[in-house]
Amino acid sequence: MRQPTAEPSPTVQPDVIRYFPLPLFASIMGLCGLALVWLKAAHLWHWPAVIGQAVTVVATVLFLLYGLLLLLKAAHNPQGIREDWRHPVRLNFFAAITISLMLLGTAYQSFAPGIGHGFWLVGAIGHAILVPVMMHIWLHHAHYQLTHINPAWFIPVVGNVVAPLAGVGYGHLEASWYFFAIGIVFWLVLMTIVMHRLIFFEPLPQRLAPTLFILLAPPSVGMLAWLKLDGETLDAATRILYGVALFLALVLATNAARFAKVPFFLSAWAYSFPLAALTVATMTMAHLTANSALNTLAVVLVVLTTAVILWLVVKTALAAAKRAIFLPE
């Protein structure tokens, strides 16, 4: 007698709109960071400015594309947006949208300030509204645990230190001080909590391991923001912030073999902007101190950052072509 065959298990089909991943906005931050690296190299070393300008334009086009896909997701899959908003990790990437706008404003400042000012204003206003709302969620949640925290939690609050990079030049001095104060103070608060979680609990899941590079961003960007606010003066605060960034980079370098074994996830974009921020900070410090060792390190970091981000672009493009990143988590 013929045995009945089992029904095949249903498979979830990829859907670019319904399952658009919010963390993709971290790639905009990374590309903006790369643009700032090459624009800084053009300013200090007279390297071709067109490279940084071209990367800025590419980042802008991708930002607009991702923004459209996110709006379509909100229309076709509002439950997915609600799930992102409640998720202890993905929630933080809503702030990557407003930070990306401020970074675009920073990149455009050197060659299209009119466009850049508009991007910066929208990003800064949006971030000023978004962060208190997210802080409200943190304070009144009913489902977060200490094991949920990871360096991605730096993005919303500590991301405030990005604002002065262009805000001072656009004439928003007091607003820039406001953002900087929030970012630096909450960096110290969150750094304590994150280090407690990393030391006393199990290691981060492999998918989140790249987020450890986010530790580089607050002191690196904080140093650059401080210089903007303090009149480009090489002082104790500048040296302290850069020293912390350099120390964290050395700590991460000792784990290079571990990071090399991590398969590609979208979280790998966490390598990009922090590396770019450290690179620009090193270039700036080398210029201010006229230190040949720092200048050599800066050149090495430019090459490394460019190579890492190009690798991320290729890996992401291949995954997107296969629609491997447009699946429910």
Side-chain angles (χ1 to χ4, degrees):
M1 185 175 179
R2 191 175 181 180
Q3 297 294 323
T5 57
E7 290 293 328
S9 58
T11 58
V12 178
Q13 297 298 317
D15 189 319
V16 175
I17 293 174
R18 289 184 61 83
Y19 304 125
F20 173 78
L22 192 62
L24 257 182
F25 280 97
S27 67
I28 306 300
M29 293 177 60
L31 289 171
C32 286
L34 182 62
L36 292 173
V37 166
W38 280 90
L39 290 169
K40 191 71 172 181
H43 175 68
L44 295 180
W45 303 333
H46 308 292
W47 289 13
V50 67
I51 297 176
Q53 294 169 0
V55 175
T56 303
V57 173
V58 170
T60 305
V61 172
L62 286 175
F63 178 85
L64 295 174
L65 174 61
Y66 293 170
L68 175 61
L69 290 174
L70 186 63
L71 289 174
L72 291 172
K73 176 180 177 177
H76 291 85
N77 184 20
Q79 180 60 30
I81 296 293
R82 286 191 289 268
E83 289 174 1
D84 289 338
W85 191 250
R86 287 179 51 82
H87 195 275
V89 177
R90 296 199 299 272
L91 166 68
N92 301 297
F93 287 93
F94 282 99
I97 300 172
T98 51
I99 293 172
S100 293
L101 285 164
M102 289 190 285
L103 287 172
L104 286 170
T106 305
Y108 275 113
Q109 190 170 37
S110 65
F111 66 97
I115 296 173
H117 195 186
F119 275 122
W120 187 91
L121 278 174
V122 175
I125 294 171
H127 204 71
I129 296 170
L130 180 64
V131 172
V133 174
M134 297 180 75
M135 283 287 292
H136 173 83
I137 293 172
W138 287 359
L139 294 173
H140 299 284
H141 71 85
H143 58 286
Y144 293 164
Q145 300 176 13
L146 187 57
T147 52
H148 289 152
I149 198 168
N150 63 79
W153 283 52
F154 283 126
I155 297 173
V157 182
V158 183
N160 282 279
V161 295
V162 167
L165 298 181
V168 174
Y170 287 133
H172 304 288
L173 180 61
E174 294 306 319
S176 295
W177 273 112
Y178 167 78
F179 284 115
F180 180 81
I182 296 168
I184 287 295
V185 169
F186 280 94
W187 167 48
L188 298 175
V189 173
L190 286 172
M191 187 68 171
T192 304
I193 300 172
V194 168
M195 291 304 295
H196 176 78
R197 184 260 180 266
L198 293 175
I199 293 172
F200 294 107
F201 290 81
E202 69 277 3
L204 291 174
Q206 194 177 46
R207 179 184 291 269
L208 295 179
T211 65
L212 288 170
F213 268 72
I214 297 175
L215 296 174
L216 294 175
S220 300
V221 181
M223 175 205 131
L224 297 169
W226 175 255
L227 283 171
K228 293 291 185 182
L229 292 163
D230 199 42
E232 305 289 343
T233 302
L234 181 61
D235 57 9
T238 306
R239 288 187 166 95
I240 289 169
L241 288 167
Y242 181 71
V244 172
L246 192 58
F247 170 74
L248 291 171
L250 292 172
V251 171
L252 291 170
T254 64
N255 290 275
R258 293 176 182 268
F259 291 115
K261 295 176 182 177
V262 177
F264 175 76
F265 300 105
L266 276 184
S267 60
W269 277 100
Y271 297 136
S272 61
F273 178 70
L275 264 177
L278 176 68
T279 301
V280 176
T282 302
M283 296 164 75
T284 303
M285 184 61 82
H287 174 71
L288 292 174
T289 60
N291 186 296
S292 58
L294 282 177
N295 198 72
T296 301
L297 176 60
V299 174
V300 170
L301 285 172
V302 170
V303 174
L304 175 63
T305 300
T306 303
V308 168
I309 293 178
L310 286 175
W311 172 77
L312 289 168
V313 168
V314 171
K315 296 293 286 187
T316 305
L318 291 174
K322 298 175 182 177
R323 296 196 174 186
I325 58 176
F326 302 112
L327 294 167
E329 296 195 19

